[in-house]
Amino acid sequence: MSRTKVGAGKPTIRDVAKVAGVSQGTASRVINQLPVKPVLKARVDDAIAKLGYTPNALAQSMRLRSTRTIGILIRDFSVPGFASFVKMAQSILSDAGYVLMLAGSEDRPEREREILNAFIGRVDGLILSTGSASNSLLENAGTNLSLPMIMLDREPSEHQDAIQIAHREGVHRALTYLFELGHRRVALITGDSNVRPARERILGYREAHVEHGIEIDKALIRTRNFSKEYAFTETSALLASKDRPTAIIVGGVAMLQGALRAIKTCNLRIPEDISLIGGTDPELAELVEPAVTVIQVDYHAIGAEAAQLMLDRLDNRIDPSPRIIKFDSTLIIRQSCSAPPTTRSEPDATEAVRGSTEPFEHPT
């Protein structure tokens, strides 16, 4: 068999990548038998044969050494949905002989980078719920680390699997329900529109308005972050506005508490004065009075799916092509929504807020 020569001496992985026309990371993934698109794998295999390349046995054994550990990066451990996700994932991975290395980023990109660097060499796979849409280290991690990676509700790179939630459809269902009740001014409070969950919710919001022939008031869309503090600030501002909404959807797993506190601060009643829909189904939604209608997401099932997908990757039981698995969201109707009020006997919300002991400031 004739062999192609790229440089002097024994061919390297860099030579393989050059001949195959792929990145060095992709060549490394093929050599280490990790998921790569079939067309790219064929090109790398062909380049290996042409060059007569053989990997360094010691280096390869070190790269392939199993730690029996899976790293999980979570935005915020205090969020009930994430806790349920981790609990289920841990149960399945533990039964398979793996332990979890958990870390929380607190929605800080620099913290995410620190955590990912700490994971390197210590884990066999990564499950990531990042707080940012763009993080160069995370975007390239699937190639550079040569590890199975599952992105939770984020857009994956070409080498990463992803589990995504149908936020778009969930908000569309919620708005359709509110429109059928007679609402025409519905506010949406959610996170940074550059991040997939918020972006999908906004798309669902816009599609529902177009479908029902209702004009969109951009002032009713509030997007910055997913914190309960932000939900409080924006709910307060909306309720104090001259032409306030008759219903609010809070689209984020930790935002319901902030919206409820703002409504209470404004001395308004649910649903007589304002209808409310939460973006997930925490225990809080069922315990408050009245119980809150929610767009429910099954984080328990998502945790199980993520753990099983990771095990399938580690054991090479599935096709190497990256997978995107989508979970539906369900509208759970409770008592927090009714037809919009035609008259208001209570004090104006602006005056209520001014008299509150919990002042708010609308962010610029």
Side-chain angles (χ1 to χ4, degrees), residues 4-259:
T4 301
K5 292 186 177 181
V6 175
K10 184 179 179 180
T12 67
I13 190 171
R14 181 176 297 178
D15 297 330
V16 171
K18 184 175 181 180
V19 171
V22 300
S23 69
Q24 189 171 326
T26 297
S28 174
R29 293 180 69 84
V30 173
I31 292 167
N32 290 315
Q33 301 178 12
L34 292 168
V36 174
K37 290 182 178 180
V39 64
L40 297 180
K41 183 179 185 304
R43 285 160 56 182
V44 173
D45 287 340
D46 186 54
I48 289 172
K50 288 180 179 178
L51 293 169
Y53 171 82
T54 55
N56 181 292
L58 176 60
Q60 189 176 37
S61 67
M62 291 178 66
R63 284 193 297 271
L64 296 177
R65 182 179 58 195
S66 175
T67 65
R68 307 300 293 181
T69 302
I70 304 299
I72 297 186
L73 168 63
I74 294 295
R75 290 174 37 228
D76 185 351
F77 285 124
S78 68
V79 176
F82 290 150
S84 177
F85 168 86
V86 170
K87 183 177 181 180
M88 190 62 201
Q90 178 174 254
S91 175
I92 292 175
L93 291 169
S94 177
D95 287 346
Y98 288 86
V99 296
L100 299 188
M101 184 181 292
L102 302 176
S105 69
E106 301 174 354
D107 284 341
R108 293 160 48 200
E110 68 277 7
R111 176 65 178 148
E112 290 175 358
R113 289 190 290 270
E114 292 172 1
I115 292 169
L116 192 58
N117 282 327
F119 279 156
I120 295 174
R122 296 179 173 89
V123 300
D124 294 339
L126 290 169
I127 300 174
L128 304 173
S129 170
T130 64
S132 57
S134 178
N135 183 321
S136 58
L137 184 58
L138 291 173
E139 289 171 355
N140 297 325
T143 298
N144 297 337
L145 298 185
S146 298
L147 290 175
M149 298 185 68
I150 301 173
M151 302 301 291
L152 178 59
D153 218 15
R154 294 296 184 268
E155 299 295 349
S157 74
E158 62 176 319
H159 300 295
Q160 299 166 343
D161 295 309
I163 294 180
Q164 299 179 345
I165 298 168
H167 301 292
R168 185 176 186 171
E169 294 84 347
V171 168
H172 189 286
R173 292 189 192 101
L175 268 171
T176 297
Y177 169 61
L178 290 170
F179 289 157
E180 289 173 350
L181 288 175
H183 293 272
R184 293 298 178 265
R185 290 186 57 76
V186 180
L188 173 66
I189 306 174
T190 189
D192 185 346
S193 59
N194 290 318
V195 179
R196 181 188 180 275
R199 186 172 64 249
E200 289 292 303
R201 289 184 179 109
I202 294 169
L203 286 172
Y205 181 91
R206 290 175 174 166
E207 287 173 355
H209 277 77
V210 171
E211 185 177 303
H212 289 81
I214 299 172
E215 185 176 355
I216 295 175
D217 182 350
K218 293 182 179 179
L220 296 178
I221 304 175
R222 306 295 176 98
T223 63
R224 179 168 295 182
N225 66 59
F226 293 107
S227 71
K228 61 185 178 183
E229 292 79 13
Y230 179 69
F232 171 78
T233 299
E234 292 303 314
T235 301
S236 299
L238 285 163
L239 295 178
S241 62
K242 184 177 181 180
D243 192 12
R244 74 186 187 213
T246 60
I248 296 175
I249 299 172
V250 283
V253 291
M255 303 181 82
L256 180 59
Q257 180 179 336

Side-chain angles (χ1 to χ4, degrees), residues 319-337:
D319 184 272
S321 299
R323 293 193 174 187
I324 296 180
I325 301 171
K326 197 167 185 177
F327 274 78
D328 200 5
S329 54
T330 306
L331 184 66
I332 304 298
I333 297 175
R334 296 185 177 130
Q335 294 83 47
S336 64
C337 298

